[in-house]
Amino acid sequence: MSAVPTDRVGFESDGETLVGTVYRPAQRGLRPGIVVTGSWTTVKEQKAATYARRMAEAGFVALAFDFTGFGESGGRPRQLESPARKIGDIHSAISFLARHPLVDPGRIGALGICASSGYTAVNAADDSRVRSLALIAPWLHDAALVQEIYGGADEVRRKTELGLAALAAYENGADARYVPAVSTTDSEAAMFGPFDYYLDEKRGAVPSWDNRFAVMSWPQWLTFDPHPAAARIKAPTVLVHSRDGAIPHGAELFHSALTGPKRLIWTSGTQFDFYDQDAKVDEAAGIAARHFAKTLA
């Protein structure tokens, strides 16, 4: 892997300072810019960094950043999985990249991985500055898929009630309530099971990632539905997924609703393979880079 120059940067989003890393390509002159975002509970040093580096190697100026309340960025409550807040952060990241001295503001794309695919897509639906879109291993749920994934209507209702109670307590001055983001022993964790990527220090268990999930996140996360945005997206869009990845049916539904130029490319591998396995990342990032090169020419 070639060395990629990086710059630590900061920018504002709804009154908070977000911290990011700009990955610079070897090519000189104004270049296309790509905002790269990772999965839910993410920090910039995880999969966003992995793909941003690949984008820079392919000739793009790439930005990975910590969302509000995560990693080095400001904002409270911490580890709040708020789709609305994260969509706003992506919009602010686009604004920052459009002003960057190395970036051609007329050639900006967005690359979302896993859960942030939905956030990235919703922003792109209403942000004409996003001229091209790539969604890698996209997690794109709707109400029906939420019930299927999270144990049925009763369990979704229980999680929602827990979240609403945690939010009410927080608004009344209590500390935010947390559960593990990932656990093999605590069934209340946001992700309960052997999710090795997040538990392995050689993979996603990086020091900057807090293994916490704000319980008040549940209502926002469980009711988030990016699918209505698909029909409003005009930017050329490529989705890269696997039948063995997370909720491939969601990717099919979203792709079918897109009205602009679109492609859905099926590859192999598990969801976590897309996060950090070199061969899988090279394949997916290569597809995205070729898509951006063509659509941001």
Side-chain angles (χ1 to χ4, degrees), residues 116-139:
S116 76
S117 291
Y119 307 153
T120 297
V122 171
N123 179 71
D126 301 309
D127 190 342
S128 61
R129 300 171 301 172
V130 179
R131 302 296 179 86
S132 186
L133 193 60
L135 309 179
I136 306 297
W139 178 289

Side-chain angles (χ1 to χ4, degrees), residues 253-266:
L253 291 173
F254 192 87
H255 176 260
S256 66
L258 288 167
T259 57
K262 60 183 179 180
R263 288 190 301 158
L264 173 56
I265 298 175
W266 293 109

